[in-house]
């Protein structure tokens, strides 16, 4: 992954974004409510075999963050910079399952994406299903001009159909 430029992110982000000095692809910011949000990018070749970056948003202390438009704007400033410097890379969003609020997190992220003013430049495809009895929510995001987009979407669909438990048959 090419290095994200903090000076560019912070031109557009309402919250000051910092880079974790120990983890190159980890960024964080603190909201007005005092909640710290970590943004991680890790290589994930298990869902997209040709390679993708898993994008994680973590509120490590699980502090409540009231409806805060600055949170969305800061996260999308980071996403924009990711695609600016890593143009044809693919991003995966997996909703955190640690506290069983993954459905809420997924709905919120998809809603944010749907009101994002530059969404016309991107494709987002979501999937949900059970893995080992737990609901999981995954989204793939890529620029529409990605020359590898058809292959990436095919890999995503194939992997999802393999990972998720088969649908339960009605009794």
């Amino acid at each position: 992954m090419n290095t994200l430029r903090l000076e560019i992110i912070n031109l557009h982000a309402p919250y000051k974004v910092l880079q974790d000095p120990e983890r190159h692809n980890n960024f964080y910011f603190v909201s007005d409510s005092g909640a710290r949000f970590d943004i991680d990018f890790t290589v994930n070749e298990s869902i997209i075999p040709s390679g993708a970056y898993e994008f994680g948003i973590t509120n490590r202390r699980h502090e409540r963050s009231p409806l805060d438009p600055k949170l969305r704007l800061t996260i999308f400033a980071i996403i924009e910079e990711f695609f600016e410097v890593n143009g044809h890379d693919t991003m995966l969003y997996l909703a955190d399952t640690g506290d069983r609020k993954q459905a809420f997190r997924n709905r919120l992220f998809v809603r944010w994406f749907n009101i994002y003013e530059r969404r016309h430049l991107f494709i987002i495809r979501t999937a949900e299903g059970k893995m080992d009895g737990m609901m999981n929510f995954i989204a793939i995001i890529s620029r529409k001009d990605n020359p590898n987009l058809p292959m990436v979407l095919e890999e995503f669909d194939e992997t999802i159909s393999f990972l998720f438990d088969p649908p339960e048959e009605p009794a």
Side-chain angles (χ1 to χ4, degrees):
M1 182 174 110
N2 293 323
T3 304
L4 304 188
R5 302 166 298 180
L6 282 176
E7 65 277 4
I8 301 299
I9 293 170
N10 285 316
L11 281 175
H12 304 284
Y15 289 127
K16 181 172 178 74
V17 177
L18 301 167
Q19 186 173 19
D20 186 321
E22 297 177 13
R23 295 170 50 214
H24 179 69
N25 294 332
N26 177 271
F27 303 86
Y28 65 94
F29 59 92
V30 178
S31 70
D32 288 338
S33 68
R36 175 180 160 152
F37 291 89
D38 285 83
I39 309 298
D40 292 298
F41 293 93
T42 56
V43 174
N44 183 319
E45 294 175 340
S46 61
I47 295 177
I48 306 296
S50 61
Y53 289 95
E54 186 175 324
F55 171 72
I57 306 167
T58 308
N59 176 343
R60 296 212 188 279
R61 291 186 227 136
H62 303 286
E63 297 175 45
R64 295 188 137 251
S65 184
L67 294 177
D68 180 355
K70 294 193 310 188
L71 178 64
R72 176 182 58 85
L73 294 172
T74 301
I75 289 170
F76 274 91
I78 296 168
I79 291 172
E80 283 183 12
E81 177 61 9
F82 171 85
F83 282 110
E84 186 63 33
V85 300
N86 298 286
H88 293 137
D89 283 336
T90 302
M91 180 184 290
L92 294 167
Y93 170 73
L94 285 73
D96 181 24
T97 59
D99 58 2
R100 299 198 178 269
K101 294 182 181 177
Q102 60 269 32
F104 170 77
R105 284 189 189 92
N106 182 67
R107 280 192 307 275
L108 180 62
F109 186 77
V110 170
R111 184 173 65 216
W112 283 355
F113 201 88
N114 286 335
I115 63 172
Y116 172 52
E117 57 276 353
R118 297 182 67 203
R119 70 185 171 278
H120 64 280
L121 300 174
F122 299 91
I123 185 165
I124 182 171
R125 182 177 290 181
T126 61
E128 61 184 75
K130 285 187 177 181
M131 286 175 33
D132 300 324
M134 179 178 286
M135 282 302 294
N136 284 267
F137 300 85
I138 301 173
I140 184 172
I141 304 165
S142 185
R143 285 176 29 169
K144 286 183 177 177
D145 65 353
N146 181 345
N148 301 316
L149 186 59
M151 177 190 67
V152 167
L153 293 175
E154 184 178 320
E155 288 179 346
F156 178 76
D157 291 341
E158 287 175 5
T159 302
I160 292 304
S161 67
F162 173 77
L163 284 178
F164 288 158
D165 297 338
E168 295 176 10
E169 297 287 327

